[in-house]
Amino acid sequence: MRTFVRILMGLVVLGGVALLAFIAIPVQRSGPVQALPADWRPEPGQGEYAMRIADCAACHTAPDGRQFAGGREINSPVGIIVSPNITPDDETGIGTWSLEDFRAALYDGVKPDGTHLYPAMPYENYRKLTEEDVRALYHYFMDEVEPIRNAIKPSDLPFPFDQRWGLRAWKWVALQDDPGFRPSTDDPVLARGEYLVEGPGHCNACHGPRDLVMAQDALDVTQDAFLSGGEIDGWTAPALRGPNSAIGDWSAEDIGMILATGRNAHAAINGEMQLVVRDSTQFMTEEDLYAISSLLVSLNGGPDPAERPKNDTETEALIASADPGMPLGARLYIDNCNACHFADGLGADEVFPELAGNALVTADSPTGLISMILAGSELPSTPIRPYALRMPGFADRLTDAEVAALATFVRQGWTNTAGPVAESAVSDLRGETKTEVE
């Protein structure tokens, strides 16, 4: 018995020592993936462009806050994560960081003091950044961004997610590949598209599924799960490839237009994608937009435009009849939606998006559609399409039962065959809007 106790106590002590070593031993930081001269400097505008393609402003700028000063609350599956100040302020920002510190944050998700960053920072994707882009970003933030003193409150997550040392184990699962970008093609246009989508654009962080430990289920175009659809903060991030692809019948021009302006002949952006277009993709060069568009078309089997849904449907006839005995969902559509999206559900090109065949409308999860009805949406102003368009929210006008009836109607109208929406699903999301119908 004494021997057993000694062995047990020895194992406990050994386990404690191992845990302390796991927590205390510094993380080995990744070095550069390319050799550049020590005096290398970016070309004028190169740093700002690297910031745009990496979409830094969207997360590191709070609503009504100063750019890059942090404070934006990011809703994650484990709680609210608050983005840090990344201006070069010495006390509250990154002003004292070296290039090596900056690279480690992008590649390894660690701060200079060894604190692990939550993966709301997409270092799973930023590990693919070239050394030129890393150094261009560093020089931009250190030399061109104004220091702003803005102390950020720490993220307040429940136990055990508030124990950042546990992220070290998470990274053993999530960060299996060494830093660096490895294209799957010799085509320079498609390779550039892969780099932008897999790396700085971190598209799969929203448009891809997560595994059991909430790591991205795929990180490059060779994996079928890559860009196969996800959900973020109550909005559907549609699949961009595969049998449920939202853009399967789009041309490269269609894709380029929605990235540059937030709208095209088929759809309009919503949710977090508004920030992506506002702060990132509208600033991309025509060459980079074409590279991304060409890649996405290739992932969908090449251009094969489908016919638009025929407008001689039973739904259109029902709406046109104005029958007072029509179902509640149809009546709500006439009162609230028909003026913009029309009886045929096809809307107006680049103004009011199609509802017939729309990926947001027909997604397996109705959360994006419900969020759109409750909160509305706004298209950003861009140089190509300078007018901003706003869809109003109906949270203060429609009850949960009415929103469910309307959502069900559009999900099953025209050529759509999606499932019904439960009133309880609306109630759950309405709590996040904090708006009640009197």
Side-chain angles (χ1 to χ4, degrees):
M1 183 66 180
R2 290 181 179 177
T3 302
F4 174 76
V5 172
R6 290 195 187 99
I7 293 174
L8 182 60
M9 291 182 65
L11 290 175
V12 170
V13 171
L14 184 62
V17 171
L19 179 61
L20 288 174
F22 177 79
I23 297 172
I25 294 177
V27 175
Q28 184 175 357
R29 305 196 303 185
S30 299
V33 295
Q34 297 159 304
L36 293 179
D39 60 350
W40 182 92
R41 301 283 297 185
E43 296 292 329
Q46 186 177 356
E48 181 178 1
Y49 190 72
M51 178 274 295
R52 291 297 186 188
I53 63 175
D55 197 17
C56 306
C59 288
H60 289 280
T61 306
D64 302 321
R66 298 180 68 180
Q67 193 173 48
F68 306 125
R72 184 178 188 84
E73 294 186 347
I74 300 170
N75 289 318
S76 78
V78 299
I80 294 178
I81 297 171
V82 184
S83 66
N85 180 348
I86 57 171
T87 72
D89 179 66
D90 286 349
E91 294 187 15
T92 65
I94 62 172
T96 61
W97 288 24
S98 67
L99 172 62
E100 289 70 25
D101 295 334
F102 188 78
R103 185 188 300 110
L106 294 174
Y107 283 178
D108 307 311
V110 290
K111 296 169 66 174
D113 63 2
T115 300
H116 292 276
L117 297 170
Y118 288 111
M121 163 74 165
Y123 44 82
E124 288 176 271
N125 311 97
Y126 285 167
R127 288 170 69 81
K128 295 177 181 285
L129 287 175
T130 64
E131 180 64 8
E132 275 204 9
D133 278 344
V134 170
R135 292 176 67 167
L137 283 168
Y138 180 73
H139 286 293
Y140 173 74
F141 281 105
M142 294 301 175
D143 301 337
E144 300 182 41
V145 172
E146 177 188 358
I148 299 172
R149 182 160 299 184
N150 185 34
I152 302 300
K153 66 178 182 180
S155 300
D156 185 17
L157 300 182
F159 182 84
F161 304 110
D162 60 341
Q163 303 298 304
R164 289 183 184 244
W165 58 267
L167 287 169
R168 188 168 191 173
W170 180 87
K171 290 175 182 178
W172 287 349
V173 177
L175 307 182
Q176 295 186 5
D177 294 332
D178 292 333
F181 170 66
R182 290 165 281 276
S184 69
T185 175
D186 294 329
D187 184 307
V189 173
L190 294 181
R192 176 63 177 174
E194 285 185 11
Y195 174 70
L196 292 168
V197 169
E198 294 178 5
H202 57 278
C203 305
N204 193 69
C206 293
H207 287 277
R210 301 273 173 166
D211 60 22
L212 293 176
V213 297
M214 297 306 298
Q216 294 180 45
D217 206 23
L219 291 171
D220 64 64
V221 298
T222 65
Q223 300 168 290
D224 291 340
F226 188 77
L227 301 181
S228 62
E231 190 173 304
I232 178 170
D233 196 15
W235 293 92
T236 301
L240 302 180
R241 69 186 299 185
N244 298 317
S245 175
I247 60 173
D249 60 346
W250 291 11
S251 66
E253 290 75 17
D254 292 331
I255 298 171
M257 180 60 73
I258 205 165
L259 292 175
T261 69
R263 65 206 81 176
N264 64 17
H266 305 283
I269 58 169
N270 56 75
E272 296 298 309
M273 195 65 192
Q274 295 170 333
L275 303 180
V276 175
V277 173
R278 186 194 71 186
D279 296 323
S280 177
T281 55
Q282 68 161 307
F283 299 98
M284 288 184 176
T285 63
E286 291 186 7
E287 292 79 9
D288 278 352
L289 288 174
Y290 180 70
I292 294 174
S293 302
S294 298
L295 172 68
L296 293 177
V297 167
S298 72
L299 293 178
N300 283 277
D304 184 21
E307 294 183 4
R308 301 183 90 188
K310 295 182 178 180
N311 60 5
D312 55 346
T313 61
E314 293 182 5
T315 302
E316 183 182 9
L318 174 64
I319 294 172
S321 74
D323 182 351
M326 68 175 57
L328 175 61
R331 286 189 279 121
L332 291 169
Y333 182 86
I334 292 176
D335 291 343
N336 301 286
C337 313
N338 189 61
C340 295
H341 298 284
F342 309 137
D344 60 8
L346 296 181
D349 290 358
E350 299 186 28
V351 181
F352 307 121
E354 301 171 354
L355 299 181
N358 186 296
L360 174 75
V361 173
T362 60
D364 291 340
S365 170
T367 55
L369 176 60
I370 297 171
S371 295
M372 179 75 78
I373 295 173
L374 290 175
S377 184
E378 183 172 352
L379 298 179
S381 171
T382 67
I384 299 177
R385 295 291 183 269
Y387 47 94
L389 298 175
R390 172 75 186 174
M391 171 186 159
F394 295 91
D396 59 350
R397 179 172 177 173
L398 302 179
T399 66
D400 293 347
E402 288 172 333
V403 172
L406 176 58
T408 297
F409 173 76
V410 297
R411 282 169 64 83
Q412 298 180 344
W414 306 288
T415 57
N416 298 340
T417 58
V421 176
E423 182 178 345
S424 59
V426 181
S427 301
D428 292 342
L429 281 177
R430 185 187 290 276
E432 299 178 10
T433 68
K434 298 180 176 61
T435 303
E436 299 294 337
V437 175
E438 299 294 337

